[in-house]
Amino acid sequence: FCVDPKHEIMGKESETTATVRTRKFLTNRLLNRKQMVVDVLHPDRATVPKSEIKEKLAKMYKTTGDVVFCFGFRTAFGGGKSTGFALIYDTLDYAKKIEPKYRLVRQGLLEVKKTARKQRKERKNRMKKARGTAKAKLAAATKKE
Amino acid sequence: MVEDQKQEGLSLLELKNQSFLTYMANLVYLTLRKLKDRLVEARVVLERIRPLEDKLKYQIDKHVKTAADGVVSADDTLRLTGNLDNIVSSSDDDEEKEVTSKVKKTDDEEQKIYKIPKITQAHYDGEAKKNEAKEKARRRTLNSSMLRDALLEHTEDPEVVYNNDVLKQRAIKKRRELEVFEEENMIRKVVSRRDKAAMRQMTTLGTMGSEILGFNTMDALQHDYDPSAPAAKRQKTGKSSKSKGKGKFKGKKGFKKQKHRF
């Protein structure tokens, strides 16, 4: 018996590919970027992940994928079409300066170190017991490494 | 008329050409005539004078009348001047002081109370409002779905079926507005659960039920309909009074135990 290549268990890329179209294109000289509304058509397929859309946009606009930031994708009722936004910066420096932190974290360009929630709450409760200069001392002592 | 010698008869286009030419020639002649004789100019001047004349009409008539009669009329405004003897100085008699003081008092009082300056007539709305309420009620019953269905069988117009429902329209409009805003500002707005449900709502019987199955009384179509008067109450039947009697005893917490009829 032959294995039908369509029903590959390993393959993630489904049979039908997605079409990416851009609308309302605007070159924002003040923020050194191009901003647009992105329409993705993906019949017979679940919502396309942002990384894939990023790669496709990078190819369309002849840039690297790391200056492309896409967000806000909403799938229309019934599936098959999603709409979102994308920003393409001139350089990575500008991107790092202008983009909000959470989007940089998503892209992997920024790391936010956070202590565990429990530790933070415990520290706060310990601080409540002290007052004045003692408080400042305690804060320095228990400061996160 | 020029005839095309190659063909028999007159070419239609040639005829058109010639008639156009003669028409234009005649028109130009007429215009020239008008311009030369200054007809239009005179007419325009006369028309411009007319409103000015209307404004001065009264004075002109009066002067003409004076000239015609030869005597100045009794109520001529030019003759009405102030009588100098009547003007008295305020520092004379005591009587006058009292009078003036009284007048001053009322003046003070009047100054405190704000009186609306009577420059023009004020618009009185009372009658129109009542009529409007009546009209509104009448229109509401006429446009109700009940009456429209009843009248459908008597009209000869073709039946039009619209695709949009009134309640959905609002939701559609809202959704479109939101879309435009979001795309313009590249931001996703947080829509509350209720608003989301409203935008996605289908017209179910629950939302339009009262309109489809409601019963409208024909009171508004009567001539003597008074919208402010309370609507006529339903006659109480014998049965309902009986059930009320039974349920009169009070329960533990003071609630009236009523018999529920299904």
Side-chain angles (χ1 to χ4, degrees):
Chain A
F1 65 115
C2 54
V3 180
D4 199 345
K6 271 190 203 173
H7 300 284
E8 257 182 53
I9 308 165
M10 295 301 253
K12 276 239 163 128
E13 175 73 34
S14 48
E15 197 47 48
T16 58
T17 51
T19 316
V20 171
R21 278 195 303 206
T22 59
R23 280 189 293 135
K24 298 206 175 160
F25 181 86
L26 173 68
T27 309
N28 193 339
R29 283 275 121 238
L30 298 165
L31 295 173
N32 311 92
R33 70 185 183 198
K34 306 184 184 81
Q35 47 196 57
M36 66 207 78
V37 175
V38 178
D39 271 341
V40 186
L41 299 165
H42 48 91
D44 301 339
R45 207 184 145 176
T47 309
V48 181
K50 288 198 285 273
S51 47
E52 200 181 313
I53 297 173
K54 191 172 73 149
E55 295 308 315
K56 287 214 157 87
L57 280 170
K59 218 193 303 178
M60 272 170 70
Y61 287 89
K62 301 183 190 66
T63 52
T64 52
D66 52 354
V67 287
V68 180
F69 293 82
C70 33
F71 59 96
F73 279 92
R74 293 267 176 88
T75 313
F77 190 78
K81 181 174 176 204
S82 353
T83 311
F85 312 114
L87 309 167
I88 303 178
Y89 284 88
D90 292 349
T91 63
L92 196 59
D93 279 343
Y94 282 129
K96 284 193 181 162
K97 263 190 247 178
I98 296 163
E99 273 292 279
K101 298 281 188 301
Y102 73 92
R103 271 191 232 146
L104 293 170
V105 171
R106 277 190 198 172
Q107 199 92 317
L109 298 167
L110 197 67
E111 289 260 327
V112 179
K113 264 187 298 178
K114 232 196 219 178
T115 49
R117 192 156 175 247
K118 199 72 188 148
Q119 316 300 17
R120 277 183 281 147
K121 287 188 188 269
E122 278 178 0
R123 180 167 178 258
K124 174 203 68 160
N125 288 333
R126 261 175 268 145
M127 298 254 281
K128 277 198 283 187
K129 291 185 197 158
R131 194 88 175 83
T133 36
K135 194 169 196 164
K137 260 196 220 169
L138 194 58
T142 61
K143 197 154 172 67
K144 50 182 182 183
E145 289 84 32
Chain B
M1 290 288 207
V2 174
E3 287 181 355
D4 199 341
Q5 286 173 356
K6 288 189 190 169
Q7 295 173 344
E8 284 184 347
L10 188 64
S11 157
L12 182 69
L13 297 171
E14 200 56 54
L15 173 66
K16 190 180 173 191
N17 255 354
Q18 289 298 321
S19 28
F20 256 135
L21 274 171
T22 45
Y23 180 73
M24 296 285 284
N26 284 336
L27 206 67
V28 167
Y29 171 67
L30 214 72
T31 325
L32 203 69
R33 193 67 191 277
K34 280 196 178 178
L35 287 173
K36 213 172 82 170
D37 290 348
R38 295 175 170 255
L39 248 176
V40 179
E41 208 182 306
R43 200 187 67 163
V44 168
V45 167
L46 278 171
E47 280 187 349
R48 292 283 162 85
I49 285 176
R50 196 166 144 260
L52 300 171
E53 196 190 322
D54 277 343
K55 286 188 182 171
L56 294 170
K57 186 174 156 45
Y58 175 69
Q59 291 202 13
I60 293 169
D61 282 349
K62 205 171 66 179
H63 285 305
V64 164
K65 200 170 109 184
T66 319
D69 290 349
V71 184
V72 182
S73 64
D75 52 16
D76 191 5
T77 45
L78 289 170
R79 292 213 311 172
L80 292 171
T81 52
N83 194 351
L84 292 166
D85 297 333
N86 284 342
I87 297 173
V88 194
S89 62
S90 58
S91 62
D92 270 6
D93 302 42
D94 288 335
E95 266 187 13
E96 294 213 349
K97 262 196 183 166
E98 268 182 33
V99 168
T100 47
S101 65
K102 265 192 193 165
V103 166
K104 272 191 189 166
K105 233 197 204 170
T106 48
D107 265 342
D108 277 347
E109 278 177 13
E110 278 174 3
Q111 273 171 21
K112 284 183 190 165
I113 309 166
Y114 173 67
K115 286 204 170 159
I116 302 165
K118 291 181 183 171
I119 306 167
T120 52
Q121 283 183 324
H123 183 249
Y124 172 59
D125 212 26
E127 276 303 308
K129 262 197 186 164
K130 212 165 63 169
N131 286 347
E132 212 184 275
K134 207 170 157 183
E135 267 296 311
K136 249 189 159 178
R138 188 165 179 277
R139 238 180 292 142
R140 213 180 300 142
T141 52
L142 279 177
N143 289 338
S144 66
S145 58
M146 194 187 78
L147 266 183
R148 269 198 291 178
D149 282 344
L151 291 170
L152 258 175
E153 45 183 313
H154 296 289
T155 56
E156 284 168 0
D157 309 334
E159 187 178 327
V160 189
V161 180
Y162 293 100
N163 198 15
N164 36 10
D165 319 305
V166 171
L167 282 159
K168 223 176 170 185
Q169 278 291 82
R170 224 181 297 153
I172 290 169
K173 204 198 237 179
K174 216 175 177 191
R175 200 196 206 135
R176 206 169 291 160
E177 258 178 42
L178 186 71
E179 234 179 81
V180 167
F181 174 83
E182 283 187 343
E183 297 202 342
E184 200 61 32
N185 303 1
M186 308 264 299
I187 194 170
R188 287 283 181 210
K189 260 205 150 200
V190 177
V191 187
S192 72
R193 208 176 301 155
R194 199 185 292 174
D195 292 340
K196 233 187 281 181
M199 286 205 290
R200 220 184 298 147
Q201 200 180 47
M202 302 284 279
T203 36
T204 58
L205 202 65
T207 51
M208 290 230 322
S210 59
E211 197 181 292
I212 297 170
L213 303 173
F215 187 83
N216 299 58
T217 57
M218 301 289 182
D219 291 346
L221 300 174
Q222 309 292 340
H223 273 297
D224 54 354
Y225 175 63
D226 188 8
S228 53
K233 284 197 175 169
R234 252 197 337 218
Q235 290 286 347
K236 284 190 184 173
T237 60
K239 276 191 183 173
S240 60
S241 64
K242 267 195 187 169
S243 75
K244 256 196 175 179
K246 275 195 178 171
K248 259 196 178 163
F249 64 87
K250 288 195 177 179
K252 251 193 223 178
K253 293 204 172 175
F255 295 131
K256 271 193 184 169
K257 278 201 181 165
Q258 282 188 356
K259 205 174 175 184
H260 290 283
R261 307 177 98 248
F262 291 103

